Amino acid sequence: MSLVESFANIAVGYVVALLSQLAIFPMFGIHVTLTDNLAIGAWFTVISLVRSYVLRRWFNGLKFKVRA
């Protein structure tokens, strides 16, 4: 179930990012195509995955050091 939860989190995050871009970019005069918005959302999703992984590994390392 952890794998299902991870995929659901990624999918929901991507949709939220895409909808946010579609709403917020025009308020700042940024007008890009839907294709570009999809690509930008994908990059932000990849960055978020890497960030989450690094933080999880870092915190797991801290937890391990505390026990030792």
Side-chain angles (χ1 to χ4, degrees):
M1 285 310 287
S2 292
L3 184 61
V4 173
E5 178 186 344
S6 293
F7 278 115
N9 189 25
I10 292 166
V12 169
Y14 181 74
V15 171
V16 168
L18 181 61
L19 294 175
S20 298
Q21 289 163 205
L22 292 171
I24 295 170
F25 281 7
M27 295 188 318
F28 289 90
I30 302 169
H31 301 284
V32 296
T33 65
L34 179 60
T35 304
D36 287 341
N37 266 314
L38 293 169
I40 292 167
W43 276 109
F44 281 132
T45 299
V46 168
I47 292 166
S48 178
L49 287 169
V50 171
R51 182 201 69 227
S52 294
Y53 175 78
V54 168
L55 282 173
R56 179 166 295 205
R57 301 308 310 154
W58 182 57
F59 274 94
N60 283 341
L62 288 176
K63 186 169 62 171
F64 179 73
K65 287 179 183 179
V66 170
R67 289 183 184 174

